[in-house]
Amino acid sequence: PTAPHGHEGPGDRYSTSLTWAFNLSGHPALSLPAGFGSDGCPAGLQLAAPHGREGLLLAVAREAEARTGG
């Protein structure tokens, strides 16, 4: 993981290595808060599911939130 870029734009810290494929493929995906890194920046957990399985994705997200106190 890398720190997020600022409002000035991505510059050399542009990091979409784990998100662009789902944007192109149309798979349902979401991100959940997952705590903070050692630098204090928020971290996220990205979940993705097969096409047409939005219900499964949401069920897994609900379970993850329940188990982490989300």
Side-chain angles (χ1 to χ4, degrees):
T2 58
H5 61 75
H7 294 290
E8 70 284 354
D12 61 355
R13 298 196 321 183
Y14 191 59
S15 178
T16 59
S17 60
L18 301 176
T19 60
W20 69 270
F22 300 120
N23 292 340
L24 292 177
S25 70
H27 285 82
L30 56 78
S31 179
L32 294 174
F36 296 89
S38 60
D39 61 357
C41 287
L45 170 66
Q46 185 176 13
L47 302 174
H51 286 119
R53 298 300 308 268
E54 289 85 354
L56 172 64
L57 178 64
L58 293 173
V60 171
R62 277 192 297 273
E63 185 66 23
E65 285 183 326
R67 290 179 182 241
T68 62

